[in-house]
Amino acid sequence: MAENVVVKPHEDVKLDVFRPYLAESVRALEAAGAEPTQAWLDPCGPRDATIVMGAKALVWDEESGWRVGDFVSGEPGERTRLEDVRHLGGGVLIEPSEVAARMAAGTSEPYRRYRSHEDDPEGLDAEVRARYS
């Protein structure tokens, strides 16, 4: 099993605020038996992040939360492209253990936009800092 995938700091502090949440999600996936090989923070508008696990990838964004699909392309600084996407649901900031559980269970919920990335980004940032810093 791959262990200790490092989520590198991002030079943009508005993205880097999510690094602890992404790192916790990687650890939860590893603990559940998944094998993440890479993880990174992505561009803004909305802010998002990627965890690659072989041919699959999980992508999180600040509007719709987590989705999983077949990894097509992506790298730091570039939007990740997925095929055959399914949304995990549960909200924007579901607990990392819940991310792993929904992934393992094959959870699929309809796409839902929980918030706009323009709506109170400081409030979301404060919530992330309070829960994952």
Side-chain angles (χ1 to χ4, degrees):
M1 172 165 74
E3 292 184 7
N4 300 319
V5 170
V6 175
V7 181
K8 294 179 182 173
H10 198 281
E11 62 188 29
D12 184 342
V13 295
K14 291 180 187 218
L15 281 168
D16 200 58
V17 69
F18 295 103
R19 186 165 40 98
Y21 179 59
L22 183 60
E24 283 291 320
S25 298
V26 166
R27 285 191 287 276
L29 288 161
E30 290 173 340
E35 296 185 16
T37 57
Q38 298 177 2
W40 62 82
L41 298 158
D42 284 329
C44 289
R47 297 173 289 185
D48 57 39
T50 300
I51 301 172
V52 177
M53 298 172 297
K56 298 279 185 193
L58 275 162
V59 173
W60 172 87
D61 74 61
E62 66 182 315
E63 292 184 339
S64 63
W66 290 97
R67 61 191 174 274
V68 63
D70 297 331
F71 181 72
V72 175
S73 66
E75 61 185 48
E78 174 187 307
R79 292 268 183 226
T80 298
R81 291 183 44 232
L82 303 174
E83 287 184 346
D84 298 322
V85 174
R86 64 182 167 85
H87 292 267
L88 301 184
V92 171
L93 288 176
I94 61 175
E95 289 297 319
S97 59
E98 185 69 12
V99 173
R102 287 172 178 258
M103 172 77 180
T107 300
S108 181
E109 293 189 9
Y111 167 80
R112 180 171 172 197
R113 184 177 182 213
Y114 297 100
R115 61 184 300 280
S116 168
H117 68 277
E118 296 170 339
D119 293 343
D120 191 24
E122 293 83 14
L124 181 63
D125 294 1
E127 182 178 351
V128 170
R129 282 187 197 99
R131 290 171 59 183
Y132 300 102
S133 292

